[in-house]
């Protein structure tokens, strides 16, 4: 699996709203005005605030997968 840094460098992460390539600025991935948090090393590429809250917990499956 590619690290987050490698994915950003290769331009393989895309904004779910605009389909633009995401770039990193600190703990945020950006495409134009759209910003997505990186929480515990996991990019949260969701637009629904409730889902973002759910995936922000350190024990969620996506966080556990990135921790491996």
């Amino acid at each position: 699996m590619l690290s987050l840094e490698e994915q950003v460098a290769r331009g393989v992460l895309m904004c779910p709203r605009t389909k633009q390539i995401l770039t990193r600025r600190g703990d945020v991935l950006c495409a134009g005005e759209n910003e997505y948090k990186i929480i515990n090393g996991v990019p949260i590429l969701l637009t629904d605030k409730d889902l973002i809250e759910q995936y922000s917990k350190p024990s969620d499956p996506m966080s556990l997968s990135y921790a491996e």
Side-chain angles (χ1 to χ4, degrees):
M1 178 189 318
L2 295 175
S3 71
L4 177 59
E5 290 76 21
E6 290 173 307
Q7 292 177 57
V8 171
R10 291 183 182 194
V12 298
L13 296 176
M14 300 179 89
C15 174
R17 291 185 177 125
T18 66
K19 309 301 185 231
Q20 292 177 309
I21 293 173
L22 291 166
T23 58
R24 186 167 185 173
R25 188 172 49 218
D27 287 335
V28 177
L29 293 175
C30 308
E33 296 179 10
N34 298 298
E35 294 186 344
Y36 303 93
K37 293 180 182 180
I38 301 169
I39 301 173
N40 299 322
V42 179
I44 308 300
L45 303 180
L46 302 171
T47 56
D48 182 297
K49 290 184 182 194
D50 291 333
L51 288 175
I52 293 169
E53 174 92 17
Q54 177 184 344
Y55 282 103
S56 297
K57 298 175 185 170
S59 62
D60 78 89
M62 192 168 22
S63 290
L64 295 174
S65 176
Y66 269 79
E68 294 177 351

